[in-house]
Amino acid sequence: MGGIVRSAGTLTLDILLIVLAIIIASTLRDNFEPSQVRLLGLIPYAAATALLAVVLIPLFGLEKTVWRLSSLPDYLRVLAAITAVVIGAVAVTFLYNRLDGVPRSLPLLHGLVAVGLLVGGRIFARAHYQARKARQATQTPLRISHNSTEENVLVVGMSGVAEAYVRAVTEFAPHRFKVAGLVARKERHIGRRVGANKVLGVADNVCEILGDLQVHGITVDRIVVAEPFASLSTKAQFTLLELERSGAVELQCLIEQLGLVDTTASRSPEEVEASLGAPPQVRFEIRSGSIKKNAARPYWTLKRVIDCGAALVLLIIATPLIIIAGVLLAATVGSPVVFWQQRPGLGGRPFRLYKFRTMAAAHAPDGRLLTDEERTFALGTFLRRTRLDELPQLFNILRGDMSFVGPRPLLLRDQSPADSARLLVRPGLTGWAQVVGGRAISADDKAALDVWYVKHASLSLDLSILLRTIPIILFGETISQGLIAKAWRDLGSAGVLKNSDTTPPGRAPPDGDNKRMPSAA
């Protein structure tokens, strides 16, 4: 309950600062001679700003930030949220009164002042906290073990050691360790943030937290306990030790390893041997020279410019639709209205892919696991059918995680090393595999089409894919066996198929033999 009250207080403070920024921006524009008439004319713009801030600040998670532990990712979220609020307020006010009484330079000044207030407040809180703690701070170097493979880490604890560990991982080993989230001892901390990382739950429920992360495509490899192990509840200790013994995760007790507490029993967790089979045979292999030549193409710069411009314009146009969808989802299934999954992006780097939530909660109030049919609701079906659930991915495109056209990002567990050539370009909202084959074709055929796109991407091909996407949304998916077969032939003649036991499909009819599939609900 206390966490909810604090989040509501942070949300209210942020909204007040954003509205206050309008008055400050107007005063600056009028050379510190504010006009009462001018301020009264800004009321519709201020009302639209406050309304949008109520919706968008929770969407960006600003109200859950612990100000005294804020960091650069928090400030970037502030920038993104203020940009969305200002753009949305301009659009709404323009529709209401064509911005009557709002000087054209005011929104830009408003955005700059609002970012300054929100970021400045967080920086001041952090500086005050650090100054207070500086007297008792100790210089204890963290020894981060080197590992050749990337590990997802769950951190148990809301202590200074937990914060230091998270920051050390971010600074020294961002490509070897990924912090999946934090676990607290007290429920009031759930939903709060330490830097860019969210508190997912309490230590007693660590198994449920691991299961929820797996739903999002994240498998935790290591649990780092950043509090004295003995300070955890008996249930939490038992659960963590059982997870370690089962080999599901590696348990690391930082406080004990650093020698910060005296323990009567020395704990040396057993290292988990990963029994990996023989590495998969490479099926699609693009030579390094071809990769460098392809990466140097000027088209990728042009493509990124087009993506940014189009995503910004579409976000402005779609802002009312996004707000309506968010409000309807909140009224239908509650919070959160946006669902995310971790997917591999350009170069295999994981990113969070966002969608509107189209399924209800997985469990009934009595704890019973619901079937997919029971979780389905009319609004979610409509959003999936019309692809409107993909609207939040416009933010992914604007951030550079995705493009409008490219291979669709898979779950991490579904991305085979044999198909890693498809990761040489940014993933897309739509792609060659989607307009040629859709959901019904095999994973091998999809991979072949994606790799074929990597080698043949161009402005004309991207435009063709976008045009092909429209009838698919309206009428359903089309399978073109001829184009699938052509992709296999082209890749074979280009020497991309290497050491493959997979026989390219010989069942394909001649080019142009298409089969219409119903669009999935």
Side-chain angles (χ1 to χ4, degrees):
M1 187 64 182
I4 296 176
V5 172
R6 270 183 288 274
S7 293
T10 302
L11 173 62
T12 303
L13 179 58
D14 280 340
I15 294 173
L16 290 176
L17 289 175
I18 293 173
V19 174
L20 176 63
I22 299 176
I23 300 174
I24 297 175
S26 178
T27 303
L28 289 173
R29 185 188 178 280
D30 294 337
N31 297 319
F32 297 96
E33 296 180 359
S35 165
Q36 184 177 2
V37 175
R38 177 69 57 80
L39 291 176
L40 290 175
L42 295 176
I43 289 178
Y45 177 77
T49 297
L51 178 62
L52 287 167
V54 171
V55 176
L56 293 176
I57 286 178
L59 184 63
F60 283 88
L62 298 190
E63 87 288 2
K64 295 178 180 177
T65 302
V66 179
W67 282 32
R68 61 186 175 84
L69 300 178
S70 61
S71 61
L72 180 59
D74 298 308
Y75 309 146
L76 293 177
R77 274 200 302 275
V78 168
L79 177 60
I82 295 299
T83 301
V85 168
V86 172
I87 290 175
V90 169
V92 172
T93 310
F94 181 82
L95 293 174
Y96 175 71
N97 64 0
R98 302 186 67 83
L99 291 173
D100 184 33
V102 180
R104 298 302 178 259
S105 61
L106 182 74
L108 177 59
L109 280 174
H110 173 214
L112 294 174
V113 173
V115 170
L117 289 178
L118 268 65
V119 172
R122 286 161 169 80
I123 291 176
F124 175 80
R126 177 170 178 79
H128 177 71
Y129 170 73
Q130 289 180 332
R132 184 162 54 88
K133 291 291 184 181
R135 299 184 209 75
Q136 52 190 1
T138 58
Q139 301 299 322
T140 306
L142 287 178
R143 301 180 63 84
I144 306 299
S145 60
H146 295 275
N147 199 319
S148 58
T149 59
E150 183 179 85
E151 293 184 10
N152 288 315
V153 180
L154 187 67
V155 179
V156 177
M158 286 283 288
S159 63
V161 173
E163 181 192 5
Y165 177 82
V166 170
R167 293 190 182 281
V169 166
T170 303
E171 182 173 356
F172 300 113
H175 302 299
R176 294 195 298 276
F177 298 95
K178 296 290 181 184
V179 177
L182 288 92
V183 175
R185 283 189 293 165
K186 301 176 181 178
E187 291 190 359
R188 64 185 179 87
H189 288 139
I190 296 176
R192 308 289 283 179
R193 289 182 181 273
V194 175
N197 304 107
K198 188 176 180 180
V199 178
L200 305 177
V202 294
D204 287 354
N205 301 328
V206 68
C207 287
E208 289 83 351
I209 295 170
L210 295 177
D212 290 341
L213 287 171
Q214 284 188 332
V215 171
H216 292 295
I218 301 174
T219 300
V220 172
D221 305 292
R222 180 192 299 257
I223 295 179
V224 173
V225 181
E227 292 191 5
F229 191 79
S231 69
L232 302 178
S233 69
T234 302
K235 179 182 177 181
Q237 293 182 40
F238 176 82
T239 302
L240 291 172
L241 290 173
E242 282 298 307
L243 286 170
E244 181 190 32
R245 292 190 190 102
S246 70
V249 296
E250 180 176 350
L251 186 63
Q252 182 178 4
C253 299
L254 266 187
I255 301 294
E256 285 76 5
Q257 288 184 354
L258 291 172
L260 301 181
V261 294
D262 292 327
T263 56
T264 55
S266 94
R267 295 196 72 261
S268 49
E270 202 177 22
E271 294 188 1
V272 181
E273 296 270 341
S275 59
L276 301 176
Q281 292 181 312
V282 176
R283 185 157 47 83
F284 299 102
E285 182 183 276
I286 300 179
R287 298 182 181 91
S288 58
S290 298
I291 292 176
K292 292 179 181 178
K293 182 178 179 181
N294 189 54
R297 291 176 56 197
Y299 175 62
W300 302 121
T301 302
L302 174 63
K303 182 180 174 73
R304 180 68 190 132
V305 171
I306 295 174
D307 283 339
C308 287
L312 186 59
V313 171
L314 287 176
L315 274 174
I316 295 173
I317 296 173
T319 293
L321 190 59
I322 292 173
I323 294 173
I324 292 172
V327 171
L328 290 177
L329 282 171
T332 304
V333 294
S335 179
V337 298
V338 175
F339 172 75
W340 65 266
Q341 282 187 325
Q342 187 164 282
R343 306 284 181 96
L346 177 64
R349 290 185 292 273
F351 73 98
R352 287 188 174 186
L353 177 141
Y354 295 96
K355 290 185 178 183
F356 275 127
R357 184 178 172 189
T358 59
M359 299 284 281
H363 293 84
D366 60 0
R368 179 174 59 88
L369 184 64
L370 300 176
T371 64
D372 286 347
E373 291 74 14
E374 292 174 311
R375 298 175 61 197
T376 302
F377 58 99
L379 177 60
T381 300
F382 172 77
L383 290 175
R384 285 197 307 275
R385 173 65 181 83
T386 57
R387 304 301 201 276
L388 291 177
D389 63 323
E390 312 279 357
L391 278 177
Q393 288 168 43
L394 291 173
F395 290 98
N396 286 120
I397 294 174
L398 200 58
R399 289 176 50 182
D401 297 329
M402 295 178 62
S403 173
F404 279 99
V405 178
R408 281 296 291 170
L410 304 174
L411 287 171
L412 291 171
R413 65 172 178 264
D414 295 331
Q415 175 58 60
S416 168
D419 307 333
S420 58
R422 64 191 300 280
L423 302 176
L424 293 174
V425 299
R426 284 186 176 88
L429 269 177
T430 184
W432 189 235
Q434 281 63 50
V435 300
V436 170
R439 298 177 178 90
I441 64 174
S442 69
D444 289 337
D445 286 343
K446 288 180 183 178
L449 291 168
D450 286 338
V451 176
W452 185 90
Y453 171 80
V454 170
K455 290 186 64 65
H456 296 85
S458 66
L459 180 59
S460 60
L461 179 58
D462 283 356
L463 291 175
S464 172
I465 291 172
L466 291 172
L467 291 175
R468 283 172 175 258
T469 302
I470 297 173
I472 288 176
I473 294 175
L474 297 176
F475 307 113
E477 296 175 340
T478 298
I479 297 179
S480 175
Q481 298 287 6
L483 290 176
I484 295 173
K486 182 179 186 301
W488 283 103
R489 289 195 302 268
D490 289 351
L491 293 177
S493 61
V496 174
L497 299 180
K498 296 291 185 180
N499 301 328
S500 176
D501 293 332
T502 302
T503 303
R507 61 187 183 285
D511 289 10
D513 188 353
N514 296 340
K515 179 180 179 182
R516 175 72 63 183
M517 301 293 293
S519 178

